Amino acid sequence: MGPAQRASVVDEIFLRTHRGLGTPIALQGLWRTADPVDLELLRQVHAALRVGPLGRRVIRPRVPGARRSWRANTRAYPLEFTDGTITNAELLEWAAEQGANLDPEYGPGWRLSTAALADGGSIVSLTCSHALADGRALVLAVDDALGGTSLRRPSALVKRSSSKSTAPEADCSGAARTVGGPPVRSNTSEPMTSTAREADRSDARVNAALAQESREPSSDWSDAWRQWSIVVRGTVRALRQGIPERPARAVPDREYAVSAQGMTHSVVLQCPAGDWESAAAAQGGTANSLFIALIAKMLWASGFPGEMIDASLPVDTRDEPRVDNDLSMTEIAIERADTPATIREKARIAYERRMSSPGGMPEELLQVIPDRWAYALSKGAGERDILCSNLGTLPDSLRTLGPHRCTGVAARAIHPGLTANRLPRTRLSGYLCHIADTYTLAVVSLDPERVGTPEILRALAHETATALGLTITLW
């Protein structure tokens, strides 16, 4: 059964974080506009997202060893509009709150929100569980909803017929909910029950069409047979090389007081693309190696004591536009003397190889054993001192929201509900994107001991960027 029809190993790693097994993580796209965004326009975007590739949820298999599958799901949180206005200083804190209660298995896995800014503009946030999509996939889903490159739902989203059918997976409400205020009704006179019935019919139509087009079997039995065959053959092959060594603990203990305030802090900076590329070229690097150097130097500037920083670099492995977790990880070691030029060469070599499972054991093993065992075996996988995720150039469709020009577009990961005992090894994460004539970098600190306030992180970003020859503007 193809990977688009069943949850991948990476999907399930992120799914487990919703059950307290790992660092909670959600992906977020942010748009800033110079003027207020029309609510009706956002309702249309919300409706497009509901029936787009993010409109799916995880279904548990009935047969031990079979992978979880994806099912079409138009159930979604209503468009959320925050009452009043928020200031620039409150913007990223407000955005972080939009990641609460996302659940791609038992509840809606994404949320579209907006708020008015005190400067007269608007901020729009799309937040989704990482189990639904990786960073590039979130960009593709938005592009699809905004009328850019059209995406077909993967044939994974086939609703298996059963006499024990589930309740209709309709929209949670027919209204746009106002946070701190009354509901804002959409322009319809239909009662909510009618909305639910229409959503259910929408799911049925989508799944019926997908069932007809799918040529691959969807049986849990056949998938379990496939999985166990891979695991047994792969394990035997690995054991021929000897019993694998127990993996070194990738996540060192990080003890903080339970009452510690603010496990994470964020900053978003913008730089003219010409300035960024000129600064990179002047130092013998590329836009990407300058990005990696900036994140590493920020970590050292925060007081990180090591002489070497291990950097995790996500790699987009999709061969066609699709919304899923289609990525692998590689890594480089950065020394204090490294420059954008030397990092460029290290990254070039690293992108030719990938992190793999210990001892050559098949990664499918993680899908046939209980979740807690799988978590114990994969804990800390891909985590290093810093994470540098380059999302590349964003589609032109993201430059505007209808008639509203975007003055800033950013993407990042957030960590809703993160507590001290679930902090990862990663101390600093960076998410770079290029749109129009601007590079935008979102930086997230996960080191409350050294970066205790947003102001500290803003100062680190400004000082480090300036030292690298960059002229930046902070959100």
Side-chain angles (χ1 to χ4, degrees), residues 247-316:
R249 182 173 173 81
V251 186
D253 290 327
R254 298 173 61 186
E255 299 294 340
Y256 298 101
V258 174
S259 60
Q261 294 297 313
M263 289 291 119
T264 68
H265 298 290
S266 297
V267 65
V268 175
L269 58 91
Q270 293 184 180
C271 178
D275 292 356
W276 188 286
E277 291 163 358
S278 294
Q283 299 171 71
T286 62
N288 186 57
S289 66
L290 178 60
F291 158 49
I292 298 170
L294 174 57
I295 299 301
K297 290 181 182 299
M298 280 185 64
L299 184 63
W300 271 313
S302 74
F304 183 76
E307 291 301 310
M308 184 174 292
I309 288 175
D310 293 326
S312 179
L313 311 178
V315 181
D316 181 5

Side-chain angles (χ1 to χ4, degrees), residues 105-121:
E105 185 172 11
Y106 298 113
W110 61 275
R111 175 184 287 111
L112 185 67
S113 316
T114 186
L117 297 177
D119 63 10

Side-chain angles (χ1 to χ4, degrees), residues 34 69 133 151 163 217 253 351 396 404 426 440:
S69 58
L151 299 174
S163 58
D253 290 327
Y351 286 134
D396 286 343
H404 309 284
T426 306
T440 304

Side-chain angles (χ1 to χ4, degrees), residues 78-433:
L79 172 65
E80 294 193 358
F81 179 78
T82 300
D83 195 27
T85 61
I86 60 175
T87 65
N88 284 345
E90 298 168 327
L91 191 157
L92 293 178
E93 182 179 354
W94 169 88
E97 295 170 355
Q98 308 313 306
N101 301 318
L102 299 178
D103 193 330
E105 185 172 11
Y106 298 113
W110 61 275
R111 175 184 287 111
L112 185 67
S113 316
T114 186
L117 297 177
D119 63 10
S122 294
I123 179 72
V124 177
S125 160
L126 173 61
T127 313
C128 83
S129 163
H130 207 326
L132 286 175
D134 59 25
R136 192 65 197 175
L138 183 62
V139 170
L140 293 170
V142 174
D143 187 33
D144 175 66
L146 294 178
T149 303
S150 179
L151 299 174
R152 296 176 61 196
R153 276 191 173 187
S155 54
L157 309 183
V158 178
K159 184 179 292 185
R160 295 180 301 233
S161 59
S162 171
S163 58
K164 298 180 181 179
S165 60
T166 59
E169 296 166 356
D171 193 357
C172 292
S173 169
R177 182 164 65 85
T178 301
V179 180
V184 179
R185 289 288 175 183
S186 58
N187 295 329
T188 176
S189 59
E190 290 186 322
M192 291 177 62
T193 53
S194 176
T195 302
R197 286 196 300 271
E198 180 56 35
D200 189 42
R201 286 195 295 269
S202 176
D203 267 3
R205 286 193 297 268
V206 170
N207 284 302
L210 290 170
Q212 289 180 357
E213 75 173 33
S214 177
R215 297 181 179 178
E216 298 188 36
S218 58
S219 164
D220 281 352
W221 286 105
S222 61
D223 193 68
W225 174 261
R226 171 193 180 278
Q227 289 290 94
W228 282 113
S229 298
I230 292 173
V231 169
V232 171
R233 288 197 302 267
T235 301
V236 170
R237 187 163 48 248
L239 291 178
R240 286 173 182 163
Q241 310 301 318
I243 298 176
E245 294 183 6
R246 183 181 180 87
R249 182 173 173 81
V251 186
D253 290 327
R254 298 173 61 186
E255 299 294 340
Y256 298 101
V258 174
S259 60
Q261 294 297 313
M263 289 291 119
T264 68
H265 298 290
S266 297
V267 65
V268 175
L269 58 91
Q270 293 184 180
C271 178
D275 292 356
W276 188 286
E277 291 163 358
S278 294
Q283 299 171 71
T286 62
N288 186 57
S289 66
L290 178 60
F291 158 49
I292 298 170
L294 174 57
I295 299 301
K297 290 181 182 299
M298 280 185 64
L299 184 63
W300 271 313
S302 74
F304 183 76
E307 291 301 310
M308 184 174 292
I309 288 175
D310 293 326
S312 179
L313 311 178
V315 181
D316 181 5
T317 54
R318 55 181 50 80
D319 53 11
E320 62 180 358
R322 58 177 175 264
V323 175
D324 55 9
N325 280 294
D326 206 333
L327 80 164
S328 62
M329 304 293 286
T330 190
E331 63 180 321
I332 61 172
I334 304 172
E335 301 174 39
R336 288 184 184 267
D338 273 327
T339 65
T342 58
I343 291 173
R344 175 184 187 177
E345 180 60 19
K346 288 183 177 183
R348 184 190 65 78
I349 296 171
Y351 286 134
E352 296 176 357
R353 53 181 166 77
R354 303 287 187 269
M355 295 183 190
S356 60
S357 54
M361 296 293 285
E363 63 178 13
E364 288 82 1
L365 175 65
L366 299 176
Q367 294 180 295
V368 301
I369 60 178
D371 281 350
R372 290 193 176 276
W373 296 5
Y375 167 63
L377 286 175
S378 62
K379 186 176 182 179
E383 293 177 4
R384 299 297 184 264
D385 300 315
I386 60 175
L387 170 72
C388 300
S389 179
N390 189 340
L391 299 178
T393 300
L394 304 185
D396 286 343
S397 64
L398 276 64
R399 296 170 65 174
T400 61
L401 286 172
H404 309 284
R405 182 180 64 86
C406 294
T407 58
V409 179
R412 62 176 186 164
I414 57 175
H415 304 278
L418 179 63
T419 54
N421 64 337
R422 296 171 71 186
L423 281 166
R425 171 181 172 179
T426 306
R427 306 299 179 108
L428 200 63
S429 299
Y431 306 89
L432 182 71
C433 62

